[in-house]
Amino acid sequence: MAGGKMRKEKPSRNPSNHFQGGVSFHKSKGQHILKNPLLVDTIVEKSGIKSSDVILEIGPGTGNLTKKLLEVGKMVIAVEVDPRMVLELQRRFHGTPHNSRLKVIQGDVLKCDLPYFDICVANIPYQISSPLTFKLLAHRPLFRCAIIMFQREFAMRLIAQPGQNLYCRLSVNTQLLARISHLLKVGKNNFRPPPKVDSSVVRIEPRKPLPPVNFKEWDGLIRLCFNRKNKTLGSIFRQKSVLSLLEKNYITLLSLNLPQNTSSEENKIPVEVAALGEVDGEDPSMEIEDGRDDDDMEMEDNDAEVLKSDFKEKVLGVLKQGDFEEKRSSKLTQVDFLYLLSLFNKAGIHFS
């Protein structure tokens, strides 16, 4: 300024933070806000929202997507864990015609009870992708569909088909419960702050009715098969640990003289479906290939102290009956796994 001293600009205290409307975003919390209005419009358009729909939005942030959802749906229920974002949402829509049709729930979406909704549209924190997917699929009553932004590799695992490299336990479990389709790829520069990875939007439509299967049994089988998905089922079911586990279940059921029910009771289904997303400290989309030879893991025929040879032959007989002994989990469909499970159950062999 002429005739005076030059005023120095004060350095930002948080140079790495990104702002919108005075609110800073934290990458550590998965806060990546969609900044491209054309992309927001495309997501809403592909969602197929009806004017009578109650919409669930997870992680609304500052409300860029929320505003568009309110324009096309009957009501938006927004679940947000960050109290700062909750205040920003309330400030943004206060005094507008949309305010009465917006309900904000402050809390962790994985821990809170979700109300009724017709459709879910969300740009979620990527670290909750797996548990959130199965929580939604366990929700009752079932919703029509969910349109969700995932990290691209996770999305590709959801839609992977038998024989593809990314086909895994996650693929099998989600496709058993829902029809999943890829809608569009989203580059990292469409977000503020930009994440380190690209994203994808997928459509999830729950199957109605669900397959008549005991989901605990199903998950027990799938966990075993995909622990080493590129090995033959014959080599997997010759493993000492696998045979010992199955024999223990077999003897327990015989001693109780109680048949294992292979169909889930209606009131147990949501709990069992949600459990399919449990990771036990591992990413359910990843399988372990430990590099050991199959022979190192197999049960020796003369190891009578651990397992009777007739039970081993019983297990292998099931595989031979269904022509599964030389097949690999990475190539099997949901129908194949359902058939394999039914064969084991008919032989009195169970996985839970």
Side-chain angles (χ1 to χ4, degrees):
M1 180 177 179
K5 296 182 178 179
M6 180 74 72
R7 186 170 60 184
K8 294 182 179 180
E9 292 290 334
K10 293 182 180 180
S12 172
R13 294 182 180 179
N14 299 297
S16 61
N17 284 353
H18 295 255
F19 294 85
Q20 178 172 315
V23 179
S24 59
F25 305 139
H26 301 297
K27 288 185 178 181
S28 61
K29 295 181 180 179
Q31 293 177 343
H32 301 279
I33 309 301
L34 277 173
K35 68 177 184 178
N36 185 341
L38 294 178
L39 178 59
V40 173
D41 289 341
T42 300
I43 292 173
V44 173
E45 179 183 351
K46 288 183 176 293
S47 298
I49 299 170
K50 301 175 183 178
S51 59
S52 58
D53 280 343
V54 175
I55 307 165
L56 175 69
E57 186 185 9
I58 300 164
T62 56
N64 291 346
L65 179 58
T66 312
K67 182 177 182 296
K68 293 294 182 179
L69 296 176
L70 285 166
E71 292 173 357
V72 294
K74 177 182 178 181
M75 180 180 183
V76 173
I77 301 169
V79 182
E80 175 58 63
V81 70
D82 190 336
R84 301 172 309 133
M85 298 297 178
V86 171
L87 290 174
E88 176 63 18
L89 275 177
Q90 293 171 339
R91 181 201 65 77
R92 180 170 184 173
F93 295 104
H94 178 71
T96 70
H98 299 316
N99 189 58
S100 61
R101 296 188 293 107
L102 173 64
K103 178 181 179 181
V104 182
I105 299 175
Q106 182 180 334
D108 185 340
V109 69
L110 297 180
K111 297 178 181 178
C112 66
D113 293 329
L114 298 177
Y116 171 87
F117 63 95
D118 298 296
I119 183 170
C120 175
V121 183
N123 170 29
I124 66 170
Y126 293 157
Q127 60 265 32
I128 67 170
S129 294
S130 182
L132 176 61
T133 298
F134 288 97
K135 175 164 184 171
L136 290 176
L137 290 172
H139 183 72
R140 295 297 181 274
L142 285 173
F143 52 94
R144 188 170 74 251
C145 71
I147 310 297
I148 303 181
M149 181 95 67
F150 290 115
Q151 178 177 333
R152 180 162 175 79
E153 184 174 347
F154 184 89
M156 293 299 99
R157 290 179 182 275
L158 285 179
I159 65 173
Q161 298 299 305
Q164 295 180 349
N165 185 50
L166 292 178
Y167 188 63
C168 60
R169 174 181 159 230
L170 176 69
S171 317
V172 176
N173 282 342
T174 50
Q175 292 173 31
L176 177 76
L177 303 171
R179 297 177 181 86
I180 306 175
S181 55
H182 183 268
L183 296 182
L184 67 152
K185 181 179 178 180
V186 181
K188 62 188 73 173
N189 291 329
N190 288 285
F191 300 89
R192 182 186 298 113
K196 295 181 179 180
V197 295
D198 287 332
S199 307
S200 280
V201 179
V202 303
R203 181 184 183 91
I204 302 174
E205 298 179 64
R207 296 187 185 276
K208 302 176 185 179
L210 289 176
V213 62
N214 183 310
F215 291 106
K216 287 186 177 180
E217 284 272 310
W218 168 269
D219 196 40
L221 171 65
I222 299 303
R223 284 175 185 266
L224 285 179
C225 290
F226 275 92
N227 189 44
R228 306 175 79 200
K229 71 175 184 179
N230 290 318
K231 303 299 182 182
T232 65
L233 292 182
S235 67
I236 290 174
F237 282 92
R238 285 185 176 90
Q239 292 178 36
K240 184 176 179 179
S241 58
V242 172
L243 287 169
S244 297
L245 172 65
L246 296 181
E247 188 199 29
K248 181 179 179 180
N249 291 344
Y250 182 74
I251 293 174
T252 299
L253 286 172
L254 285 180
S255 64
L256 295 175
N257 197 28
L258 292 174
Q260 181 82 0
N261 184 10
T262 58
S263 61
S264 297
E265 297 178 14
E266 186 68 25
N267 61 345
K268 292 182 179 180
I269 288 179
V271 175
E272 294 181 358
V273 168
L276 296 182
E278 293 177 356
V279 298
D280 297 334
E282 297 288 344
D283 182 348
S285 67
M286 304 298 289
E287 281 68 52
I288 300 172
E289 294 291 352
D290 54 22
R292 288 177 286 182
D293 294 333
D294 295 336
D295 293 340
D296 294 337
M297 300 294 293
E298 290 183 11
M299 179 67 187
E300 295 295 335
D301 288 330
N302 60 357
D303 196 353
E305 293 181 359
V306 180
L307 188 68
K308 295 179 180 178
S309 61
D310 57 346
F311 182 77
K312 175 181 177 180
E313 292 307 313
K314 186 180 184 72
V315 171
L316 297 181
V318 170
L319 297 179
K320 292 176 182 177
Q321 179 185 352
D323 195 26
F324 284 107
E325 193 171 20
E326 297 302 318
K327 293 182 178 179
R328 305 172 194 274
S329 304
S330 59
K331 304 291 180 65
L332 299 182
T333 66
Q334 284 82 16
V335 173
D336 292 329
F337 284 116
L338 287 168
Y339 179 47
L340 178 60
L341 180 60
S342 71
L343 292 178
F344 273 121
N345 287 168
K346 287 178 182 177
I349 299 171
H350 296 278
F351 296 83
S352 66

